[in-house]
Amino acid sequence: MSSAGVGPLCFIKSRINAAVYQEILEHFMIPSADGLYGDADFIFQQHLATAHTAKGTKTGFNDDRITVLDWPANLPDLNPIDFVWGIAKGKLRDMRPNNAAELKAPIEASWTSITPQQCHRLIASMPHHTEAVIDAKGVQTKY
């Protein structure tokens, strides 16, 4: 997700290691960013999971000239994607699928219904969230 909207979902059936993460970046994130931003610069945010900090992942970002935001492993209230997942989950709250296949289409519909305006508002609210976390001395806030 970005301030310009959401990209495609990528359903993963395996554990995420560096190789899987790099495939996701190559086949989903980079094409999505190209579609959302074209040639404009953007800053990519991720946390410090092992797959994210692997040498091959860092090399890929350097090769593709993608700026990655320095980001702590777990920072409460400051990851916009968590708020987007909350929106998507809220739309699925009353579902009772019988299996994963029955759940996939509603997840995709919920995800694609998230508007660029919602994403932009979330990104624009992050300075306020940052101030709240600083005021709370790093502990979780009402967000």
Side-chain angles (χ1 to χ4, degrees), residues 55-109:
K55 184 177 179 179
T57 303
K58 290 178 182 180
T59 299
F61 283 128
N62 288 333
D63 291 349
D64 291 328
R65 296 189 175 129
I66 296 171
T67 302
V68 178
L69 181 66
D70 283 334
W71 202 249
N74 291 304
L75 195 56
D77 306 320
L78 293 180
N79 196 342
I81 191 66
D82 291 333
F83 296 95
V84 173
W85 285 125
I87 293 167
K89 287 178 188 177
K91 296 177 181 189
L92 299 169
R93 186 164 287 129
D94 296 326
M95 290 202 53
R96 300 290 180 253
N98 293 312
N99 54 50
E102 286 182 13
L103 183 57
K104 187 175 179 179
I107 289 173
E108 287 177 325

Side-chain angles (χ1 to χ4, degrees), residues 4-69:
V6 297
L9 282 178
C10 176
F11 291 91
I12 306 298
K13 293 182 181 180
S14 66
R15 296 178 63 89
I16 302 292
N17 60 27
V20 170
Y21 185 62
Q22 290 161 24
E23 288 286 319
I24 294 167
L25 293 172
E26 179 182 347
H27 296 290
F28 288 89
M29 190 283 287
I30 292 173
S32 178
D34 287 344
L36 291 168
Y37 292 106
D39 290 334
D41 291 335
F42 65 92
I43 298 173
F44 184 68
Q45 179 184 355
Q46 60 183 2
H47 56 80
L48 297 178
T50 305
H52 300 182
T53 59
K55 184 177 179 179
T57 303
K58 290 178 182 180
T59 299
F61 283 128
N62 288 333
D63 291 349
D64 291 328
R65 296 189 175 129
I66 296 171
T67 302
V68 178
L69 181 66

